[in-house]
Amino acid sequence: MRIGFIGLGNMGAGMAANLLKAGHEVTVYNRSRPKVDALVALGAAAADTVAAACTGDVVFTMLADDAAVQHVAFGDVDLAGGIVDSLAPGAVHISSSTISVALAKQLARAHADAGQLFVSAPVFGRPEAAAAAKLFVVAAGAGSTLERVAPLFDAIGQQTFTVSDHPEAANLVKLSGNFMIGSVIESLGEAMALVHKGGVDKHQYLDILTSTLFGAPVYSTYGRLIANGAFEPAGFAARLGLKDIRLVLEAGDGLEVPLPVASLLRDRFLALLASGGSELDWSALATISDRDAGIQG
Amino acid sequence: MRIGFIGLGNMGAGMAANLLKAGHEVTVYNRSRPKVDALVALGAAAADTVAAACTGDVVFTMLADDAAVQHVAFGDVDLAGGIVDSLAPGAVHISSSTISVALAKQLARAHADAGQLFVSAPVFGRPEAAAAAKLFVVAAGAGSTLERVAPLFDAIGQQTFTVSDHPEAANLVKLSGNFMIGSVIESLGEAMALVHKGGVDKHQYLDILTSTLFGAPVYSTYGRLIANGAFEPAGFAARLGLKDIRLVLEAGDGLEVPLPVASLLRDRFLALLASGGSELDWSALATISDRDAGIQG
Amino acid sequence: MRIGFIGLGNMGAGMAANLLKAGHEVTVYNRSRPKVDALVALGAAAADTVAAACTGDVVFTMLADDAAVQHVAFGDVDLAGGIVDSLAPGAVHISSSTISVALAKQLARAHADAGQLFVSAPVFGRPEAAAAAKLFVVAAGAGSTLERVAPLFDAIGQQTFTVSDHPEAANLVKLSGNFMIGSVIESLGEAMALVHKGGVDKHQYLDILTSTLFGAPVYSTYGRLIANGAFEPAGFAARLGLKDIRLVLEAGDGLEVPLPVASLLRDRFLALLASGGSELDWSALATISDRDAGIQG
Amino acid sequence: MRIGFIGLGNMGAGMAANLLKAGHEVTVYNRSRPKVDALVALGAAAADTVAAACTGDVVFTMLADDAAVQHVAFGDVDLAGGIVDSLAPGAVHISSSTISVALAKQLARAHADAGQLFVSAPVFGRPEAAAAAKLFVVAAGAGSTLERVAPLFDAIGQQTFTVSDHPEAANLVKLSGNFMIGSVIESLGEAMALVHKGGVDKHQYLDILTSTLFGAPVYSTYGRLIANGAFEPAGFAARLGLKDIRLVLEAGDGLEVPLPVASLLRDRFLALLASGGSELDWSALATISDRDAGIQG
C-alpha cells in the first residue's frame, strides 16, 4: 500500500520502519528533519508538508498529544493544509497517538464529512517493542476499513485487538490501560512506604510480590524503579502521566463514570509537579507517598 | 519434631497434613471435631484442649482473625489455659494467621516474658496451594529460631521469605499484600465500568490487559470474576476483605503512613456491606463502580 | 454612564434593573426577547445584536458558562460581531459570569490587544440579592479601571472586594467559593447519613450544628434542603455544580494545586448525574452518601 | 444534688465550678492534686479515690479519651475500684468526655447490669465557654434520667439538646461535629492554597467568605489560624484531631456508613504527624495543602 506516516518520535520511527520492511511505500513527515533522513535511508520518501504525506491510501499519525494531532489534522497557517483537507475520498487516517476520546470523535466526524475513513489504533508497548514489531494494537472503526488495514497492523505489532466499530473506543481502552499502570504505581508507592517504615527492604518486598500473585511486567518494571528510587532519565515523564490521567478523567466525565483512583492519581501527579518532578519518570509518584510518610528521600 | 497445630480450616488442614507427610509428630486442635478426625485419619494425634496441643517443640496457629488468636493464645474461661500459659520454655509459637501488627507485637512480648519463642509466618496462597505444599511463607523473628523451624516451612511451602527479625514485619507484608490485591480489584472495577460504558466488552478488555503488561494471576483471577459478575460462592468474603483493609490502615496509623488507596478501599467495602454484599467475594467491590456509573447490575 | 448589558437571566435581569435605577443609560441584549421587554419597560434600550450593546463606555456580561461568554465575546456566524470586535478603544468589558480562569485570561489578552479594558467581577448572591442590589462583588483588574467602574458595582451590590490587578484572580475566588459550598454539602451529607443511621433526627442534628459553631447561611440553607430531601425545583442544578467543580479543578491543574476534596466532589457529582440527578439541586449530592450507607431514599 | 466530678482539665474545672455555683454538693477527683485544690477553694470536697467520688446521686466524667474513661469506669490495680463497682444502685453516671460510640455502649451495658443509670452528655464549647456556663450539651439516655439531671445541664450550659434514648447517639453527634470542623479545616486549607497561588491574599479571601455565606465561628476561628499560619500553642492538638477522626471512622464502620471526607482527613492528619506536627493545632492540616501545592512554609 501507499502509506503516509506523520510523527517520527521514538515510537513512530520504529513503526514506519516496519511498514517499509513489510514492503509498503512509505512517505514520512516529521517536524524536525533528521528523523526523516533516517527513514529515507531505509527507503522512505520524504514529505515536506502534511499534505504531501496524504497522497496515498492510508496515513498514520503518531504524535505526542491532542494539540499536535489537531494541528496536523485540521491544518494551520504554517502548514500547507491538514490531513482532512488533503486526503483523497475513501483513503484512511489511522490515528495511533494517545489522544482524547473527544478528539477521536471529532476526527471521525470530520473525516466522514470529507468522505474519508478513520480508524483509531493506539498501541501498547515501549519504543523497543515498536522497533521489533512487537506492539499490541488496539483498533476500532468500521469493520471493512479495519479489514483493509489489518496487514499494516500485522506489520507493526504482534497482536491486534478489535474492540468496537466506534473509533474512540480504542482510545478509551488505551487511556484506561495507562490509568491501570498509574494505579499500580500509586498502590506500590503506598505499600512500599508502609513496609519500608515497618523495617522491610523494598526490593525484597517487590520480590515477594512478583514471586506470588503479582508476576507481571507492570510490577517488576515499575516496582524496580520505585525500589531503586531511580527516576531519571524518564521512560515516561510525570507530566505525560498527568496528561493521560486528565484524558481518562475527561472520558469518565463524558460517560458519567466516577473514577476515584484516577482522581487520586491526578492530585498526586499535581503534588509531584508542584515539587518540581515534571520531568521525572511517572513512577516518581511514589516519592509523594514517601514524603507523606515522613520518609527522607 | 513434635508439633501442635491449632486451627484446621481450609488452609490449616492442608498445612497440618503436609507436616505429617514430612514425618513430624503432629497433635491437632480445632474447635469443631470433624476436622480433627480427618487429620487423625492421616496419623495426627487429637488434642482436646489448647494446652494439650502445646506439649511439643513448636505450635502453629492458623485462625480466622485477631479475636480467635487472642482467645487461644491468652486463654479464656472455656479453655483449659492458653498457649502462653501452656508452652514449655524454649518452645516456639509460629503464627500463620493474618493478624494485626499490634497483636503480633503483643504475642512477641508475651512469649518473651514467658521464656518462649515467637515467629510470625503468614502465608500467600489459596487452599489448593496449602494442600499441595505450594504456599509462599513470609517469616520474621529471631534468626536462630527461624533456622530451627525452617524445615517446617519447607514442608508446607514452595518458598520462604525471611523479612525481618521483628515478627510483626511479616504480618505487615502479608497485610500489604492483601491491600495490593484490593487495589487491583478497585482499579479493575473502575476501568471496566469505564470501558463497558464506552461500548467495550469487559472480557475482551481483560484479555488485552493480561496479554500485555498485566499478565499476572491477580489480574486474570479477579478480572474474570468481575467480568463474569460471579461473586458467589465467595473465595474470600467482602467482610474479610474489609477486615484486612482495616488492619492495613491500623498498621499505617501506627507507623504514621497515610494510605489513600486503602482509605478508598475501606469506604468502598463499607458501601458494599451496606448494600448487603458482606458475604459476596471481595471482587464484588466492582459492583460499586458499576452502580456509581449508573450501570444496571 | 452608557452601559450595555448582555445576559438577562435570573441574576442579570436584577443587576441591569439596578443599574437603571442608579441613573445609567442601559442597553440590553438577550437571546430570548421577553426578558428584554421587561427591562425596556423599566427604561432600558433594546439591542438586537451583541454589537449594538457595545456602543457605550462599559458592557457587562452575565451568562451561563464559558461557551456562552466565548460566543458573545468572540462572535460567531449568527451574531453580527462579538464584543471584542465591537467595543470602542478604552471601553470596558465587565465579566460577571462564573467562568474559567483560562477564559478570563484569554479575554484579558484579547481586549488588551484591541485597546480595550477588561475587568472580572463575578458576584456572590442569589437572584433575590441581585434584585435587591445586595450582591457581593469580587472584582479584579487594573486599578484605574476598577476605580472608574466602582459606582456600577455600588449600584448592584452591597460590598465590593478588590482582590488583584489580574482579572482571573476574581474568577478564582468565585470558583473556590462554589467549591467551599460544595464541600459543605458533601460533609453535611456524610455526617447526616452517619447520625441518621445512628438514630438521630437530621433536622435536630442540623439545629445543633447551626446553634453552635456552624451558624452560617451555607449550613442552614443547604442543611435544610438535605434534611428535607427536597431537591426540586433546583436552586442550582447538579450539572452546574459539576461544571463549577470542573472549573475549580482546571484552575488547580493550571496552578499545580492538588484539591482532594474537589476531586471527591467531582466523582460524587458524576455518580449523581449517572443516577439521573442532573437537574436536581446540587445539595442532592447528599443522596449519594445516603445510598452508599444503604439508607433508603 | 450530691455530685462527684472526675476529671478537672480545662473543661472539667469550669464545669465543676459551675455545678458548685448552682448550689450542688460537689466532690472532685483528679489524677493531679493542684487542680483539686483549686476546686476545694471554691467549696468542693476532695476525693482521694474514684470510689470516694461515687457516693452521691450523680458522677460526672470529663476525661481525655477512651483509655482514661475505661480506667476510671472499670477500675485498675492502682485505683480502689472503678465507678461501676462504686456507684449506688439508681445513681447516674454522666459521661461528658469525647469517647467512642463503642465505649458508650459498653458503659451503658455495664451500668445497667449493676442497676445504675448512664447518660452520655458530651459538650460543644471551648474552655472559656465551660467557665462561663455557656456550653452546649448534647444529651442522650433514658428520658426519666435525663429529666432528673436536666438542672445539672442547665448549670453548665446555655442549651441542652436531647437526641436519643440510646446514650451512644450523643457521642455520635459530638464526634460528627468534630468531623464537620475537620472538614472545614481541610477545605479551607485547599481553597486558601489555591487562591494564594493565584495571587490572592489569604486574609482577604477569608474576609470574603465570612462576609457572605460563611459567616460562622468555625470559619472565622480556623480561617484566621490558617491565614496567620499560627499553629502554636495548639487550641486542640493535631494528634487529638486524628483521634477524633479515628473515632468517627470507627463509628461509620460500625454503622456501615462510608465517610470519604473523614478518610481523607485521616490520611492528611497522618501526613501532618509524620512531618512532626503532632502537637500543632489541628488547623495545621492546612500546611499539608500548602506543601502539596509547592508553597513554601
Side-chain angles (χ1 to χ4, degrees):
Chain A
M1 266 186 259
R2 292 184 51 236
I3 301 169
F5 202 105
I6 297 174
L8 300 174
N10 292 334
M11 296 295 292
M15 293 162 71
N18 286 318
L19 291 167
L20 281 168
K21 277 185 213 160
H24 300 286
E25 278 181 56
V26 184
T27 303
V28 298
Y29 174 83
N30 195 61
R31 217 169 31 174
S32 77
R33 184 73 201 196
K35 306 226 170 173
V36 172
D37 296 338
L39 268 292
V40 168
L42 297 174
D48 285 332
T49 62
V50 164
C54 294
T55 59
D57 313 298
V58 168
V59 64
F60 271 89
T61 47
M62 187 60 180
L63 297 156
D65 54 24
D66 273 34
V69 173
Q70 272 174 312
H71 186 68
V72 301
F74 301 110
D76 204 328
V77 284
D78 48 302
L79 291 173
I83 298 173
V84 176
D85 286 340
S86 313
L87 212 56
V92 188
H93 175 191
I94 301 176
S95 165
S96 290
S97 316
T98 301
I99 57 169
S100 70
V101 165
L103 179 54
K105 280 185 181 175
Q106 188 189 349
L107 288 167
R109 266 196 310 272
H111 283 298
D113 289 350
Q116 302 150 356
L117 303 167
F118 178 69
V119 163
S120 268
V123 296
F124 283 95
R126 297 162 60 84
E128 309 87 75
K134 294 284 189 195
L135 296 171
F136 293 92
V137 180
V138 179
S144 55
T145 314
L146 291 176
E147 222 168 288
R148 202 167 123 200
V149 299
L152 306 183
F153 297 152
D154 294 344
I156 62 171
Q158 60 177 293
Q159 193 173 354
T160 301
F161 300 93
T162 302
V163 294
S164 172
D165 49 3
H166 294 287
E168 69 271 16
N171 301 91
L172 189 64
V173 168
K174 169 65 184 175
L175 290 171
S176 70
N178 281 7
F179 158 64
M180 290 297 296
I181 298 174
S183 78
V184 165
I185 292 173
E186 172 63 24
S187 52
L188 270 177
E190 294 184 18
M192 284 196 178
L194 179 67
V195 300
H196 170 81
K197 214 168 169 185
V200 177
D201 179 75
K202 287 182 176 184
H203 286 93
Q204 192 186 16
Y205 178 67
L206 179 61
D207 189 27
I208 296 172
L209 287 180
T210 53
S211 300
T212 55
L213 284 178
F214 303 88
V218 71
Y219 288 97
S220 48
T221 303
Y222 292 104
R224 198 169 46 237
L225 291 169
I226 296 170
N228 288 339
F231 307 117
E232 290 176 290
F236 188 65
R239 79 184 150 70
L240 297 178
L242 173 57
K243 184 206 68 157
D244 284 359
I245 294 301
R246 228 183 254 132
L247 295 182
V248 169
L249 288 167
E250 271 177 38
D253 198 323
L255 290 165
E256 293 181 350
V257 179
L259 297 167
V261 171
S263 290
L264 173 63
L265 287 170
R266 178 190 168 282
D267 285 318
R268 305 289 262 189
F269 273 120
L270 285 174
L272 180 58
L273 265 64
S275 70
S278 165
E279 300 307 319
L280 299 179
D281 189 77
W282 64 332
S283 54
L285 212 60
T287 61
I288 301 298
S289 287
D290 275 359
R291 187 183 67 175
D292 280 356
I295 298 170
Q296 303 304 321
Chain B
M1 266 185 258
R2 292 185 52 235
I3 302 170
F5 202 104
I6 298 175
L8 299 174
N10 292 335
M11 297 295 292
M15 293 162 71
N18 285 319
L19 290 167
L20 281 168
K21 277 184 214 160
H24 299 286
E25 278 180 56
V26 184
T27 303
V28 297
Y29 174 84
N30 196 59
R31 219 170 27 175
S32 76
R33 184 73 201 198
K35 306 226 170 173
V36 172
D37 296 337
L39 267 292
V40 168
L42 298 174
D48 287 331
T49 62
V50 165
C54 293
T55 59
D57 312 301
V58 167
V59 63
F60 271 89
T61 46
M62 187 60 180
L63 296 155
D65 55 23
D66 274 33
V69 173
Q70 273 174 313
H71 186 67
V72 302
F74 300 111
D76 204 329
V77 284
D78 49 301
L79 291 173
I83 299 174
V84 175
D85 286 340
S86 313
L87 211 57
V92 188
H93 175 191
I94 300 177
S95 164
S96 289
S97 317
T98 301
I99 56 169
S100 70
V101 165
L103 178 54
K105 278 186 183 175
Q106 189 190 348
L107 288 167
R109 265 196 310 271
H111 284 299
D113 290 350
Q116 302 149 356
L117 303 168
F118 178 69
V119 163
S120 268
V123 296
F124 282 96
R126 297 162 60 85
E128 310 85 77
K134 293 285 189 195
L135 296 171
F136 292 91
V137 181
V138 179
S144 54
T145 313
L146 291 176
E147 221 167 289
R148 205 167 121 198
V149 299
L152 307 183
F153 297 151
D154 294 345
I156 62 171
Q158 61 178 293
Q159 193 172 354
T160 301
F161 299 94
T162 302
V163 295
S164 172
D165 48 5
H166 294 285
E168 69 272 15
N171 303 90
L172 188 64
V173 168
K174 169 66 184 175
L175 290 171
S176 71
N178 281 6
F179 157 65
M180 290 298 294
I181 298 174
S183 78
V184 165
I185 292 173
E186 172 63 24
S187 53
L188 271 177
E190 295 184 17
M192 283 196 179
L194 179 67
V195 299
H196 170 81
K197 215 169 169 183
V200 177
D201 179 75
K202 286 183 176 185
H203 287 93
Q204 192 185 18
Y205 178 66
L206 178 61
D207 189 27
I208 296 172
L209 288 179
T210 53
S211 300
T212 55
L213 282 178
F214 303 89
V218 71
Y219 288 96
S220 47
T221 303
Y222 292 104
R224 199 170 44 237
L225 291 169
I226 295 171
N228 288 338
F231 306 118
E232 291 175 289
F236 188 64
R239 78 185 148 72
L240 297 178
L242 174 56
K243 184 205 69 157
D244 284 359
I245 294 301
R246 228 182 254 131
L247 295 182
V248 169
L249 287 167
E250 271 177 39
D253 198 322
L255 291 166
E256 292 181 350
V257 178
L259 297 167
V261 172
S263 290
L264 173 63
L265 286 170
R266 178 189 168 283
D267 284 318
R268 304 290 262 188
F269 273 120
L270 285 174
L272 180 58
L273 266 64
S275 70
S278 165
E279 300 307 317
L280 299 179
D281 190 76
W282 65 332
S283 54
L285 211 62
T287 62
I288 301 298
S289 286
D290 275 0
R291 187 183 68 176
D292 279 356
I295 298 170
Q296 303 305 321
Chain C
M1 266 186 259
R2 293 185 52 237
I3 301 170
F5 201 104
I6 297 175
L8 300 174
N10 292 335
M11 296 295 292
M15 292 162 71
N18 285 318
L19 290 167
L20 281 167
K21 277 184 212 160
H24 299 287
E25 277 181 56
V26 183
T27 303
V28 298
Y29 174 83
N30 197 60
R31 220 170 25 174
S32 76
R33 184 72 201 199
K35 306 226 170 172
V36 171
D37 296 338
L39 267 292
V40 168
L42 297 174
D48 286 330
T49 62
V50 165
C54 293
T55 59
D57 312 300
V58 167
V59 63
F60 270 89
T61 45
M62 187 61 179
L63 296 156
D65 55 23
D66 273 34
V69 173
Q70 273 174 313
H71 186 69
V72 302
F74 300 112
D76 204 328
V77 284
D78 49 300
L79 291 171
I83 299 173
V84 175
D85 286 340
S86 312
L87 212 56
V92 187
H93 175 191
I94 301 176
S95 165
S96 289
S97 316
T98 301
I99 57 168
S100 70
V101 165
L103 178 54
K105 279 186 182 175
Q106 188 190 349
L107 288 167
R109 265 196 312 269
H111 284 298
D113 289 351
Q116 302 149 356
L117 303 167
F118 179 68
V119 163
S120 268
V123 296
F124 282 97
R126 296 162 61 83
E128 308 88 77
K134 294 283 189 197
L135 295 172
F136 292 91
V137 180
V138 179
S144 55
T145 313
L146 291 176
E147 220 167 290
R148 205 167 122 197
V149 299
L152 307 183
F153 296 151
D154 293 344
I156 61 171
Q158 60 177 295
Q159 195 173 353
T160 302
F161 300 93
T162 302
V163 295
S164 172
D165 48 4
H166 294 286
E168 70 271 16
N171 301 91
L172 188 64
V173 168
K174 169 66 184 175
L175 290 171
S176 70
N178 281 7
F179 158 64
M180 290 298 294
I181 298 174
S183 78
V184 166
I185 292 173
E186 172 64 23
S187 53
L188 270 176
E190 294 184 17
M192 284 195 179
L194 179 67
V195 299
H196 171 81
K197 216 168 168 184
V200 176
D201 180 76
K202 286 183 176 184
H203 287 94
Q204 193 186 17
Y205 178 67
L206 179 61
D207 189 27
I208 295 173
L209 288 180
T210 54
S211 300
T212 56
L213 283 178
F214 303 88
V218 71
Y219 288 97
S220 46
T221 303
Y222 292 104
R224 199 169 44 238
L225 291 169
I226 296 170
N228 288 339
F231 305 118
E232 293 176 287
F236 187 65
R239 78 186 148 73
L240 298 177
L242 173 57
K243 183 205 69 157
D244 284 358
I245 294 302
R246 228 182 254 132
L247 296 182
V248 169
L249 288 168
E250 271 177 39
D253 198 323
L255 291 165
E256 293 182 350
V257 179
L259 296 167
V261 171
S263 290
L264 173 63
L265 287 170
R266 178 190 168 284
D267 285 318
R268 304 289 262 188
F269 272 120
L270 285 174
L272 180 57
L273 266 64
S275 70
S278 165
E279 299 309 315
L280 299 179
D281 190 76
W282 64 333
S283 54
L285 211 61
T287 61
I288 301 299
S289 287
D290 275 0
R291 188 183 67 175
D292 279 356
I295 298 170
Q296 302 305 323
Chain D
M1 267 187 257
R2 293 183 51 235
I3 301 169
F5 203 104
I6 297 174
L8 300 173
N10 291 335
M11 296 296 292
M15 292 162 71
N18 285 321
L19 290 167
L20 281 167
K21 277 185 213 161
H24 299 287
E25 278 180 56
V26 184
T27 303
V28 298
Y29 174 83
N30 197 61
R31 218 170 30 175
S32 76
R33 184 72 200 196
K35 305 225 171 171
V36 172
D37 296 337
L39 268 291
V40 168
L42 297 174
D48 285 332
T49 61
V50 165
C54 292
T55 59
D57 312 300
V58 168
V59 63
F60 271 89
T61 45
M62 187 61 180
L63 296 157
D65 56 22
D66 274 33
V69 173
Q70 273 173 313
H71 185 67
V72 301
F74 300 111
D76 204 329
V77 285
D78 49 302
L79 291 172
I83 298 174
V84 176
D85 286 341
S86 312
L87 212 56
V92 188
H93 175 190
I94 301 175
S95 165
S96 289
S97 316
T98 301
I99 57 169
S100 70
V101 165
L103 179 54
K105 279 185 182 177
Q106 188 190 349
L107 288 167
R109 266 196 310 270
H111 283 299
D113 288 350
Q116 302 150 356
L117 303 167
F118 179 68
V119 163
S120 267
V123 296
F124 282 96
R126 297 163 60 84
E128 309 87 76
K134 293 284 189 198
L135 295 171
F136 292 92
V137 180
V138 180
S144 55
T145 314
L146 291 176
E147 221 167 287
R148 203 166 123 199
V149 299
L152 306 183
F153 296 151
D154 293 345
I156 62 171
Q158 62 177 294
Q159 194 173 353
T160 301
F161 300 93
T162 301
V163 294
S164 172
D165 48 4
H166 294 286
E168 70 271 15
N171 301 91
L172 189 64
V173 168
K174 169 65 184 176
L175 290 172
S176 70
N178 281 7
F179 158 64
M180 290 298 294
I181 299 174
S183 78
V184 166
I185 292 173
E186 172 63 23
S187 53
L188 271 177
E190 293 183 17
M192 284 194 178
L194 179 67
V195 300
H196 171 81
K197 214 166 169 186
V200 176
D201 180 75
K202 287 183 177 184
H203 286 94
Q204 193 186 15
Y205 178 67
L206 178 61
D207 189 27
I208 296 172
L209 287 179
T210 54
S211 301
T212 55
L213 284 177
F214 303 88
V218 70
Y219 288 97
S220 48
T221 304
Y222 292 104
R224 199 169 44 238
L225 291 169
I226 295 170
N228 289 338
F231 306 117
E232 291 177 289
F236 188 65
R239 79 185 148 72
L240 298 177
L242 174 57
K243 184 205 68 155
D244 284 0
I245 293 302
R246 228 182 253 133
L247 295 182
V248 169
L249 288 167
E250 271 177 38
D253 198 322
L255 291 165
E256 292 180 350
V257 179
L259 296 167
V261 171
S263 290
L264 173 63
L265 287 170
R266 178 189 169 283
D267 285 318
R268 304 290 261 189
F269 273 120
L270 285 175
L272 180 57
L273 265 64
S275 71
S278 166
E279 300 307 317
L280 299 179
D281 189 76
W282 64 331
S283 54
L285 212 60
T287 61
I288 301 298
S289 287
D290 275 359
R291 187 184 66 175
D292 279 356
I295 298 170
Q296 303 304 322

